[in-house]
Amino acid sequence: MLELEEALAKILSVLPATESESVPLNQAHQRILAERLLAPINIPVFDNSAMDGYAVRAADVQGANVEAPVGLQMRGRVPAGENFAGEVLPGTCVRIFTGSPLPRGADAVIMQEDTRIDPTAPETVLCLDTIKPWENVRLQSEDIKRGIPLGEKGEVITAGRIGLLAAMGLNEVHVGRRPVVGLLATGSELVEAGQPLEPGKIYESNRLMLATLLEQAGVSARIYPLVVDTMADTQAALQKAMDECDVVVTSGGVSVGEMDFIKSAWEQLSGDLQFWKVAIKPGRPFVFGRCRGKYLFGLPGNPVSAFVTFLLLVRPALMQWQGATDVALPVHFGILTEPLSNPGDRRHFMRVIVDAAGKVRSAGAQASHILGSLAAANGLVDVPPKTTFQTGDTVKVLRWE
Ligand code: AMP
Ligand code: MG
């Protein structure tokens, strides 16, 4: 049985190198940059106004105030998107708007609220406040200078970054290829939603749950039909998924019972088992294998075991597959409002609820078949063997949303 870190290191060490592909920017959210990206242009592209007001020469309005306003002759206007042909000469100004190019000669913008139109001379703008050179001006390249890196290989493309790339005029970006992931659920007791429940049967729930987690990791899943617990069915299902996908994620059938066929079926298809069993709770019987460039992640069938092993062992693998440098789950530190106790001899990833104030409490019963507390939870706390975290302790909460 491997420790969690050993298991993860094993998985990450045998995954293939990332391939890259080009995607349109509107499909790039959450993708991983495949190369360092350099800014093709400056932002701002040109000096422009940060305010609605008047483009002036700062020296002209030195010392102006409400009692002693300075009058400037208005020589025209420059709406956003246009250019002012002339020049702001001493003693003059130009009406300007947020984002309009700063006219030649001007070196500041006085905001509209600090001016008044002279009622007796409508072409005269009275400036009611003094101003420093370059005040209310957004300078060319003060945000992004042409040639600087906009992102590094391995970084995630966030909404903010999409805004930046769009502002650069880019409409395509190089990202890591996503794996095609097949989802199988094994178990002769499983029934599809919408079908009647015969005695002894239960509705299958792992595939959709895992598909949702996959989507959060930026991967869309192929969902395969339910697999009954026979060697022949398990082999046929694995073979088909393996032919069509890069990665096969299964649930159930990895324990020690004689109805657990995943490991032996995989080996029959000439796959290898890199390891079986990880020293965590829930999720001990997790299995990982390889077969001719294809990968098997065999998750235990109990819903919480499948959920937790997906987050701890499959998600980081899929992130690395896409080229991500940081494959860890997001974390949140919080303060316990009740003890969390693990009397067992394996690390227990306990379901918790962390609220907006950072208070952390148990999400309820912690057995690996309890879906109610999984549905209520928004985090996991890693409690070491034979350990109790006390009320008031600061704990690290692993998140997935
Ligand atoms: P197994 O890992 O196959 O021994 O299954 C462990 C437990 O999880 C059993 O109670 C199964 O009925 C249940 N289980 C397995 N797969 C699923 C699934 N896809 N959806 C809901 N429950 C499942
Ligand atoms: Mg089973």
Side-chain angles (χ1 to χ4, degrees), residues 186-190 229 251-255 259-260 301:
T186 72
S188 299
E189 73 280 26
L190 304 176
D229 292 320
S251 87
V254 289
S255 290
M259 302 307 282
D260 291 326

Side-chain angles (χ1 to χ4, degrees), residues 70-91:
V70 170
L72 297 174
Q73 286 310 111
M74 186 162 46
R75 282 293 152 79
R77 62 205 289 277
V78 53
E82 292 185 17
N83 251 307
F84 187 70
E87 188 176 348
V88 175
L89 297 169

Side-chain angles (χ1 to χ4, degrees), residues 184-187 189-190 202-207 226 229 251-255 259-260 285 299-303 369 371:
L184 297 184
T186 72
E189 73 280 26
L190 304 176
I202 60 169
Y203 287 119
E204 193 283 319
S205 60
N206 285 340
R207 287 171 306 167
L226 298 177
D229 292 320
S251 87
V254 289
S255 290
M259 302 307 282
D260 291 326
L299 278 43
N302 268 312
H369 64 290
L371 269 166

